[in-house]
């Protein structure tokens, strides 16, 4: 500030970016022969119907993990790995030094988690959840790094690591054998939406009475439209063959581009270990 009326201040601007999320059109179906139900003494279609929600939950979780792998590879290729700490190649003969810590082993450690979280700078306390492979969870448990807390009703025990909720998923494995991906999430790190097709017919049961030599077959069809989108990224569609990206295509670096202006705006980080 000064007392010169001719000198005007220049206001800063708020910068907005566009994120493109790709919609996926998914479906699956399950069939059961009526005669098999007669032999089993119960209707297998009831069992199928009871497991549809669990199937979609597993499918969405797997597609999220594949998307995260694609983002990691994109970050390595395009952003100088500023969201990634990779110690999977560390050995005593060829140590890897990160932020002053020398890693002589590729194993999962508390120091490596801290260095991964530190990629977001002074916002590292924003991380609320950590997802890891069961092999990594086993090692952390052996090191007495997993703590359990009860829910408010004192009924369910939740696993935590350094105060973060722990999620386990065995699809958190990199292509190289024995190499695992650990992901730290902040609030709002991933957007998700799922619904039945706009035209309806999200669930159909179709009967084929002539199959099984007249015994009959029933088929349940389930259809879901969904979006799973990590904050701060655009899905580029650079390598998608069909109308919806396959899981393997979600894991391609070419299909992701970070559009967030700052690294700190993306509440995600990755740790790669053995």
């Amino acid at each position: 500030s000064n007392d010169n009326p001719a000198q005007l201040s220049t206001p800063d601007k708020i910068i907005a970016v566009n994120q493109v999320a790709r919609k996926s059109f998914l479906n699956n179906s399950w069939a059961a022969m009526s005669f098999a139900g007669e032999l089993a003494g119960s209707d297998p279609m009831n069992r199928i119907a009871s497991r549809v929600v669990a199937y979609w939950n597993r499918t969405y979780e797997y597609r999220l993990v594949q998307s995260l792998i694609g983002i990691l590879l994109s970050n390595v290729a395009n952003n100088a790995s500023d969201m990634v700490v990779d110690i999977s190649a560390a050995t005593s003969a060829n140590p890897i030094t990160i932020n002053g810590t020398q890693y002589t082993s590729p194993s999962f450690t508390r120091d490596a988690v801290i260095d991964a979280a530190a990629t977001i700078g002074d916002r590292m306390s924003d991380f609320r959840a950590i997802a890891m492979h069961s092999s990594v969870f086993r090692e952390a448990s052996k090191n007495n790094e997993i703590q359990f807390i009860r829910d408010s009703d004192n009924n369910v025990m939740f696993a935590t690591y350094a105060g973060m909720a722990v999620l386990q998923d065995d699809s958190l494995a990199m292509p190289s054998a024995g190499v695992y991906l650990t992901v730290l999430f902040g609030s709002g790190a991933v957007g998700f939406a799922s619904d039945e097709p706009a035209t309806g017919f999200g669930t159909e049961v179709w009967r084929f009475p002539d199959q099984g030599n007249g015994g009959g077959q029933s088929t349940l069809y389930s259809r879901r439209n969904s979006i799973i989108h990590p904050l701060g990224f655009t899905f580029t569609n650079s390598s998608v063959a069909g109308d919806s990206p396959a899981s393997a295509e979600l894991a391609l670096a070419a299909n992701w581009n970070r559009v967030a202006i700052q690294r700190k705006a993306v509440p995600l980080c990755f740790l790669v270990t053995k």
Side-chain angles (χ1 to χ4, degrees), residues 15-23 71 83 187-192 227-237 255-262 265-268:
I15 299 174
V17 295
N18 290 325
Q19 299 180 66
V20 177
R22 180 64 184 261
K23 195 173 184 179
I71 285 173
M83 298 172 61
S187 299
V190 178
F192 171 74
I227 293 176
I228 301 173
H229 190 76
L231 179 67
F233 286 83
T234 276
F235 193 83
T236 66
N237 297 302
N255 282 326
W256 296 98
N257 181 48
R258 192 170 80 194
V259 294
I261 302 300
Q262 295 182 347
V266 182
L268 282 169

Side-chain angles (χ1 to χ4, degrees), residues 13 22 25 29 43 60 94 98 118 140 145 155 165 195 232 239:
K13 297 179 180 179
R22 180 64 184 261
F25 306 93
S29 57
D43 185 359
Y60 294 146
N94 295 288
I98 301 172
E145 294 175 335
N155 294 324
D195 203 354
S239 184

Side-chain angles (χ1 to χ4, degrees), residues 99-263:
N99 297 326
T101 299
Q102 188 177 75
Y103 295 95
T104 58
S105 167
S107 299
F108 177 92
T109 65
R110 177 68 67 91
D111 284 347
V113 173
I114 293 173
D115 279 328
T119 62
I120 204 170
D122 58 6
R123 294 187 59 182
M124 60 187 298
S125 61
D126 288 354
F127 292 118
R128 295 290 182 265
I130 181 170
M132 59 181 66
H133 192 277
S134 62
S135 295
V136 174
F137 183 87
R138 181 187 64 227
E139 291 303 309
S141 298
K142 289 180 178 180
N143 294 332
N144 294 319
E145 294 175 335
I146 300 295
Q147 295 182 330
F148 292 88
I149 60 174
R150 291 188 180 274
D151 68 346
S152 59
D153 294 326
N154 204 34
N155 294 324
V156 181
M157 296 288 284
F158 292 97
T160 66
Y161 182 94
M164 296 178 286
V166 174
L167 312 171
Q168 289 190 70
D169 192 315
D170 280 348
S171 60
L172 285 164
M174 301 300 288
S176 301
V179 179
Y180 303 115
L181 173 63
T182 300
V183 187
L184 276 66
F185 299 88
S187 299
V190 178
F192 171 74
S194 175
D195 203 354
E196 295 184 352
T199 54
F201 305 105
T203 301
E204 287 186 275
V205 177
W206 198 254
R207 181 73 180 164
F208 302 92
D210 57 337
Q211 296 190 10
N213 197 26
Q217 174 185 276
S218 298
T219 301
L220 186 150
Y221 297 86
S222 182
R223 306 177 183 92
R224 305 296 295 181
N225 297 343
S226 66
I227 293 176
I228 301 173
H229 190 76
L231 179 67
F233 286 83
T234 276
F235 193 83
T236 66
N237 297 302
S238 296
S239 184
V240 177
D243 294 321
S244 299
S247 296
E249 292 170 335
L250 293 174
L252 297 178
N255 282 326
W256 296 98
N257 181 48
R258 192 170 80 194
V259 294
I261 302 300
Q262 295 182 347
R263 157 68 184 105

Side-chain angles (χ1 to χ4, degrees), residues 68-85:
L68 293 171
I69 291 174
I71 285 173
L72 181 154
L73 297 176
S74 172
N75 183 252
V76 172
N78 303 312
N79 305 108
S81 301
D82 64 358
M83 298 172 61
V84 183
V85 165

